[in-house]
Amino acid sequence: MKKLIICLFSMVFLASCVDDLDEYNVDQKQATVVPAVTLFTGATKNLTDVLTTPNVNTNNYRFYVQHWTSTQYLDEPRYNMTSRTIPQSMWTTLYRDVLADFAEAKRIINEDETLTEGVKQNQLAQVEIMEVYTWSVLVNTFGDVPYTEALNSQNALPVYDDAQAIYNDILSRLETAVDQINTSSAGFTGSGDILYGGNMQRWLKFGNSLKLKLGMVVADVDNAKAKALAESATAADAGGVISSNAENAAFGYLSAPPNNNPISSNVKGPLSTREDYVAANTLVDAMNERNDPRREFYFSQVGGQFKGGRYGFPNTFTDFSTVSAKVADPTFEALLLDYAEVEFLLAEAVERGYNVGGTAAEHYNKGVTASITYWGGTEAQATAYLQQPSVSYASAPGDWKQKIGTQEWIALYNRGYDAWVTWRRLDAPTLLPPVDGLTVPTRLIYPVNEQTLNPSNYTSASSAIGGDQSSTRLFWDAQ
């Protein structure tokens, strides 16, 4: 009886400490509060993964820019976006797995009273820079998208905002974020910052470089804004842009899934036996013609040669070059922005008359050299490559858009999304569809879910951009 009384007393005492019995039903192994740093890290990795993966259900940009082609399945290199859930996968990942987590991270940071003001402002700036990057991907991929009413769990039917209005707003947000970085204070540190390990000086350079990059996207439709952003990013007191490969915005993968380089899970190599992709003849032929030293780092060889499969047609895997062992390595890093791209952007800025210092040829040469040395080539190889008439800035064929665009297209190998944006901006090099009646995509169509679940807003957005077609040009994509 005594034991029973003690047990009953204990139950009454414990019950008096809680509001209801549901509070006993707590799974100690499931986190109820996720730290801001965890959300920031996870969202950054999810963004990197979705832009890096070659999985045909999600990311076909390498096909659109004709860096890769397929062996037997022709829907994707012939631009079919409905046989798989390609737009839906990209859309869902960017909204649900990236932007939603960044937004929640900001909420937690703002409510955290333990952070010093300097650390709080830096963490908010880091999140904001990555948010802007993500929004730019959505706009540059689809056009008009939900923005002002997005990420609201109480609104299942958000309106679509005008793409140019979104772009102007995120550019303003980016400028504010860059301006609030204090390199004397910490932000997210160590493993929580998978891009720069807490180095705020490099975050400042990344922010400025992103400002330059996004500014150049609108150069053909808003030259004044592009000029102001480029000159602001490179001003003497701005903190600089990325100026070496050591400062690249890079995420180093690990050898074991799920933190491996996503390419390694989709191509033949240590983690997969798939034989779906070969190098496209469009890129391989262009590099062969120029005796490009990056070929050995980009591709495998067949019979001692680099040989691309015919783009958009069936190809036998063993007959053609495929991705190199370097690219297929589970630990091979992904890039969000690099030194070579920055130098090509600066070359373009000079050609447009912007005050960013240097000459177009100087920046072009630095861009080519940065790409070659990043991949494993030498400066001597870069010098020899640049002396070829087909490569030299003074003698390469075409206008400045053709010269810069072609070399940037080559340098952006393994960064299909960025190569696709650059190709649409500069219309270089010339990419032809595999068969008559097709058009190389200039956007992704909207997801089927938006058509069925948010039909009114979908219809309005489709009309506003000129039709929900893969051939519709976005507001910045001048003819």
Side-chain angles (χ1 to χ4, degrees):
M1 177 65 70
K2 184 180 294 185
K3 290 182 179 179
L4 178 60
I5 292 172
I6 291 173
C7 289
L8 289 171
F9 174 79
S10 298
M11 290 177 67
V12 171
F13 176 76
L14 289 171
S16 68
C17 298
V18 299
D19 294 328
D20 57 60
L21 294 178
D22 286 342
E23 294 195 22
Y24 290 119
N25 189 26
V26 176
D27 184 351
Q28 298 296 327
K29 295 182 179 180
Q30 298 295 323
T32 55
V33 178
V34 180
V37 65
T38 302
L39 292 164
F40 174 74
T41 303
T44 302
K45 180 182 181 297
N46 285 335
L47 173 62
T48 305
D49 284 350
V50 79
L51 292 178
T52 303
T53 182
N55 189 295
V56 290
N57 295 302
T58 301
N59 182 335
N60 289 279
Y61 300 132
R62 291 176 180 84
F63 286 154
Y64 302 160
V65 295
Q66 300 183 18
H67 284 172
W68 292 9
T69 190
S70 62
T71 51
Q72 58 179 322
Y73 303 113
L74 301 183
D75 281 347
E76 291 73 33
R78 292 192 177 185
Y79 320 132
N80 186 320
M81 298 181 186
T82 58
S83 62
R84 300 179 187 270
T85 58
I86 299 163
Q88 187 69 58
S89 296
M90 182 63 65
W91 180 281
T92 300
T93 298
L94 293 176
Y95 274 112
R96 183 194 65 195
D97 302 333
V98 180
L99 287 170
D101 283 357
F102 281 141
E104 179 65 5
K106 283 202 300 188
R107 184 192 68 78
I108 294 171
I109 295 166
N110 278 314
E111 294 178 358
D112 190 343
E113 298 179 355
T114 67
L115 295 175
T116 65
E117 190 60 23
V119 171
K120 176 175 287 191
Q121 291 305 309
N122 277 349
Q123 289 185 355
L124 289 172
Q126 288 171 288
V127 176
E128 185 78 337
I129 288 170
M130 295 310 300
E131 266 197 294
V132 167
Y133 193 116
T134 309
W135 281 117
S136 74
V137 173
L138 273 166
V139 172
N140 292 339
T141 299
F142 295 99
D144 292 9
V145 294
Y147 180 67
T148 55
E149 293 186 4
L151 308 178
N152 180 356
S153 61
Q154 304 303 309
N155 183 3
L157 304 174
V159 299
Y160 287 55
D161 294 82
D162 175 74
Q164 189 163 8
I166 298 172
Y167 215 85
N168 288 339
D169 190 59
I170 63 173
L171 288 173
S172 177
R173 289 171 58 179
L174 178 59
E175 289 193 276
T176 300
V178 171
D179 287 345
Q180 78 183 48
I181 291 177
N182 181 352
T183 57
S184 299
S185 293
F188 290 114
T189 59
S191 60
D193 173 9
I194 60 177
L195 296 182
Y196 290 115
N199 187 324
M200 293 309 301
Q201 181 63 55
R202 291 191 175 176
W203 270 95
L204 180 59
K205 287 193 169 189
F206 175 45
N208 280 327
S209 300
L210 186 60
K211 188 192 301 186
L212 170 67
K213 174 189 176 83
L214 299 187
M216 298 308 292
V217 169
V218 298
D220 285 340
V221 293
D222 195 339
N223 184 65
K225 182 178 289 292
K227 183 176 187 293
L229 288 165
E231 293 180 353
S232 170
T234 56
D237 59 351
V241 291
I242 293 172
S243 56
S244 73
N245 283 324
E247 296 172 346
N248 292 345
F251 173 49
Y253 285 101
L254 304 178
S255 59
N259 296 316
N260 58 297
N261 162 22
I263 299 169
S264 63
S265 298
N266 290 272
V267 300
K268 191 170 185 177
L271 298 181
S272 172
T273 59
R274 298 190 68 92
E275 298 183 341
D276 298 323
Y277 309 113
V278 294
N281 62 334
T282 317
L283 177 60
V284 176
D285 290 352
M287 296 180 75
N288 281 340
E289 290 167 4
R290 294 166 173 82
N291 195 30
D292 198 303
R294 287 165 288 192
R295 288 171 297 173
E296 66 177 293
F297 306 110
Y298 284 13
F299 315 119
S300 66
Q301 294 188 42
V302 177
Q305 296 181 322
F306 299 102
K307 185 178 180 182
R310 189 180 177 194
Y311 180 79
F313 289 86
N315 295 283
T316 301
F317 183 81
T318 54
D319 289 347
F320 300 100
S321 298
T322 185
V323 298
S324 66
K326 182 184 186 78
V327 174
D329 190 313
T331 65
F332 187 59
E333 68 183 14
L335 295 175
L336 292 179
L337 214 165
D338 72 346
Y339 176 39
E341 183 182 9
V342 168
E343 287 295 346
F344 287 124
L345 291 168
L346 291 173
E348 178 184 343
V350 172
E351 288 286 9
R352 292 182 183 273
Y354 304 167
N355 183 21
V356 296
T359 67
E362 289 170 346
H363 289 301
Y364 171 90
N365 291 345
K366 287 181 180 179
V368 170
T369 302
S371 176
I372 290 173
T373 55
Y374 169 80
W375 280 95
T378 66
E379 290 195 8
Q381 286 178 313
T383 299
Y385 179 72
L386 285 163
Q387 289 174 347
Q388 297 180 90
S390 60
V391 178
S392 168
Y393 200 71
S395 58
D399 60 11
W400 66 263
K401 286 189 175 184
Q402 192 71 24
K403 295 176 183 182
I404 295 171
T406 297
Q407 284 300 322
E408 195 166 357
W409 171 71
I410 294 173
L412 288 172
Y413 180 71
N414 203 43
R415 293 175 58 195
Y417 163 76
D418 286 308
W420 185 49
V421 172
T422 300
W423 172 77
R424 288 181 289 162
R425 288 197 311 106
L426 300 179
D427 296 309
T430 300
L431 299 178
L432 301 175
V435 295
D436 291 340
L438 296 178
T439 302
V440 180
T442 50
R443 63 179 291 274
L444 289 193
I445 61 173
Y446 290 125
V448 172
N449 279 11
E450 287 297 297
Q451 301 176 35
T452 57
L453 301 179
N454 193 9
S456 178
N457 291 320
Y458 159 79
T459 300
S460 296
S462 299
S463 176
I465 65 172
D468 183 22
Q469 306 295 326
S470 64
S471 58
T472 299
R473 288 179 176 259
L474 304 185
F475 75 93
W476 47 261
D477 187 8
Q479 293 285 353

